[in-house]
Amino acid sequence: MTISPPKSVALAIAPKLTATLSMFGSAVILLKVVRSPKRRNQIMHRIMLGLSISDILSAIFFFASTWPIPEGTPSWFGDGTQPIFWAVGSERSCNVAGFFVQFQVANPLFNATLATYYLLTVYYAWDDKRLKKIEWLFYAIPFGYAIVTSTFAVAANLIGHVEWTCWILPPELFIEGAELTNMQRSFRKIQWIFLFGPVWCCIFYISVIFALLYRKMKALELKLMRYSVALSSRQHREGSRIRSYLSPFVSSIKRTVASPSYPQETEEGKSDQQQADNSALGNVNPDLQDEEFESGQQTTIDLERMESTATAISDSIHAMMDRIGIGVEEARLKRTSTNGSACGVGVGKEELKLEKDTCMLFLAEETKEEQSDQQQADSSGLDEDSFEDVEGSVSMNERIGPDERRDLPDAEESSTPLANVG
């Protein structure tokens, strides 16, 4: 028994290992798509399903490697008498293997189809409704080209053996004195048209698409970053504006609390409280009953005046907050309409062009306005403690019910500090 050359042995075994990995990976993808109704309803996964089917079919005959080659075919690496390792097939089995090996051209075509899908959905923002109108082309082109070229190669008697499998290489090339047809003489051109050419075209096409997608993502990232800067500046500026609006109200609250009508805890008050405690215990001093009555009446009047003042301040704050909300919304709409396409506000998915100079000018104006508002807020002298005073006054107003508020005295005098506001 003649021993095959070592190179022939290596070329017969190596494809079995790589084809096994390819079949396993494609089978996993196929099962995931077939078993999931959600994936079956998505165009991208259906393209992956077609790619997996094509890869499994071609990988089966790559796994067969030298088995379909006619038995006893001499190896290219020997002395002409050593056979190809594990070549146990016939001319018919070689034609079948050559058909499916040529069918592998569908794999790069499916990869190009998948890249086209990304281009249409990400770059041109096509939706599924629009994509479904041309989805049939995603399968017709790869499968159609693979079937046509494979059938033509078999019909034109172009299938022969190479060292590790069967493909487009006329067997008459190895027969002395055999005449070749015009088609067989052009087998190298056919190899490029049927397989090599489409593979290189797909590599170039996919590279261009992913370069476009990379530029798209970088532009979108830059746009989002600029919009984030503008939004942060706008929020800070509007916060400063609100502080400047609320400053007069806080000052009014401070003046009200510091006024004589606000009840203060004094030694006399402590004495009154002590007397009330003694009264609760049954130790009533008759000489102090009239004084206690007058003190309680004065305290009630002071509380009513304070509650009336707080009600007036709260109502004014709510009215001013409504005005602030309207102003902020109008400013936001104005900025969106005038600067949206330049800095990413109100821009649709299909608008990718960045107007750098316009955007930078917009940000400069935002910064200038922000500094002006900050200076105004600083001059008003508003701090965090003042906001706590406002919240306390609003909470007091919420505790006073509508019926009680109606019975309170007129708040015109108590709300005098607010007369020059709004």
Side-chain angles (χ1 to χ4, degrees):
M1 181 178 180
T2 306
I3 300 176
S4 300
K7 291 184 179 179
S8 179
V9 175
L11 289 174
I13 295 176
K16 298 182 185 300
L17 301 177
T18 56
T20 300
L21 296 176
S22 181
M23 285 188 291
F24 177 77
S26 297
V28 171
I29 296 174
L30 187 147
L31 291 176
K32 283 183 173 294
V33 175
V34 171
R35 291 181 177 181
S36 173
K38 181 180 179 180
R39 292 191 178 98
R40 290 200 304 268
N41 291 330
Q42 296 176 354
I43 296 177
M44 183 191 73
H45 287 96
R46 289 198 289 267
I47 295 174
M48 292 295 298
L49 179 63
L51 175 60
S52 301
I53 293 173
S54 171
D55 184 70
I56 290 173
L57 291 175
S58 58
I60 289 174
F61 288 91
F62 268 105
F63 179 84
S65 66
T66 58
W67 291 344
I69 297 176
E71 185 178 2
T73 302
S75 173
W76 296 351
F77 302 108
D79 55 6
T81 60
Q82 294 175 297
I84 295 176
F85 185 70
W86 282 347
V88 294
S90 62
E91 183 177 348
R92 179 174 295 179
S93 63
C94 192
N95 285 334
V96 173
F99 178 91
F100 284 101
V101 170
Q102 170 56 32
F103 193 85
Q104 70 176 319
V105 73
N107 297 347
L109 293 176
F110 265 114
N111 280 283
T113 299
L114 193 60
T116 304
Y117 170 81
Y118 292 141
L119 179 69
L120 295 177
T121 54
V122 177
Y123 196 89
Y124 292 106
W126 282 30
D127 55 10
D128 285 349
K129 183 178 180 181
R130 192 175 181 184
L131 284 169
K132 286 181 179 179
K133 296 180 180 179
I134 62 170
E135 184 183 1
W136 64 275
L137 292 173
F138 294 163
Y139 319 111
I141 293 176
F143 280 133
Y145 190 83
I147 292 173
V148 169
T149 55
S150 299
T151 303
F152 182 87
V154 174
N157 197 25
L158 296 174
I159 301 298
H161 72 276
V162 292
E163 187 64 29
W164 59 92
T165 189
C166 295
W167 187 50
I168 298 176
L169 189 66
E172 285 77 11
L173 291 173
F174 305 98
I175 301 175
E176 294 183 4
E179 295 185 1
L180 299 176
T181 63
N182 293 332
M183 193 66 64
Q184 290 175 334
R185 293 190 183 96
S186 304
F187 75 94
R188 294 192 182 278
K189 294 180 180 179
I190 294 175
Q191 287 178 343
W192 274 94
I193 295 173
F194 282 11
L195 183 62
F196 298 148
V199 169
W200 282 107
C201 288
C202 288
I203 292 174
F204 178 76
Y205 177 73
I206 294 171
S207 300
V208 171
I209 288 179
F210 277 92
L212 292 175
L213 294 178
Y214 174 79
R215 290 184 58 188
K216 159 84 173 182
M217 292 297 103
K218 291 295 291 184
L220 183 60
E221 181 181 1
L222 180 61
K223 183 183 297 184
L224 291 175
M225 182 177 64
R226 289 179 175 177
Y227 173 68
S228 177
V229 171
L231 181 61
S232 177
S233 175
R234 185 179 304 122
Q235 290 175 344
H236 183 71
R237 188 183 63 257
E238 290 172 354
S240 300
R241 184 180 294 114
I242 291 173
R243 290 186 179 91
S244 64
Y245 285 153
L246 292 180
S247 178
F249 298 106
V250 176
S251 300
S252 299
I253 294 173
K254 288 182 175 180
R255 287 193 294 269
T256 301
V257 172
S259 64
S261 62
Y262 189 83
Q264 306 291 334
E265 186 176 9
T266 62
E267 293 298 330
E268 183 180 355
K270 293 180 179 179
S271 177
D272 293 341
Q273 182 64 34
Q274 183 65 33
Q275 292 175 13
D277 295 340
N278 293 335
S279 176
L281 295 174
N283 301 325
V284 181
N285 189 350
D287 298 335
L288 299 177
Q289 287 183 352
D290 294 339
E291 183 179 354
E292 180 182 356
F293 175 79
E294 293 176 358
S295 176
Q297 187 177 15
Q298 181 63 34
T299 302
T300 302
I301 295 174
D302 290 342
L303 287 174
E304 290 176 351
R305 296 171 104 189
M306 184 186 67
E307 291 172 350
S308 176
T309 302
T311 300
I313 292 174
S314 177
D315 293 340
S316 301
I317 289 176
H318 289 161
M320 182 59 71
M321 290 299 292
D322 291 339
R323 290 175 56 191
I324 293 172
I326 295 173
V328 169
E329 181 65 18
E330 290 176 352
R332 186 187 68 79
L333 294 175
K334 182 179 179 181
R335 284 192 293 271
T336 301
S337 61
T338 56
N339 299 298
S341 57
C343 291
V345 182
V347 177
K349 292 189 291 185
E350 300 181 7
E351 298 180 35
L352 300 174
K353 185 177 180 181
L354 292 174
E355 302 175 6
K356 182 176 180 180
D357 297 337
T358 305
C359 186
M360 295 305 293
L361 179 60
F362 169 62
L363 292 179
E365 293 176 354
E366 292 274 334
T367 305
K368 184 177 180 181
E369 187 177 354
E370 175 189 353
Q371 294 175 353
S372 176
D373 291 338
Q374 184 63 37
Q375 291 176 358
Q376 182 179 358
D378 295 339
S379 63
S380 65
L382 186 62
D383 54 13
E384 296 180 357
D385 295 336
S386 301
F387 276 104
E388 294 178 359
D389 294 340
V390 174
E391 294 176 358
S393 299
V394 174
S395 300
M396 182 185 298
N397 182 50
E398 292 175 351
R399 290 196 297 267
I400 300 175
D403 298 334
E404 298 175 356
R405 188 179 304 171
R406 195 181 302 112
D407 296 335
L408 293 176
D410 192 2
E412 272 188 20
E413 294 183 6
S414 300
S415 57
T416 303
L418 305 175
N420 56 353
V421 180

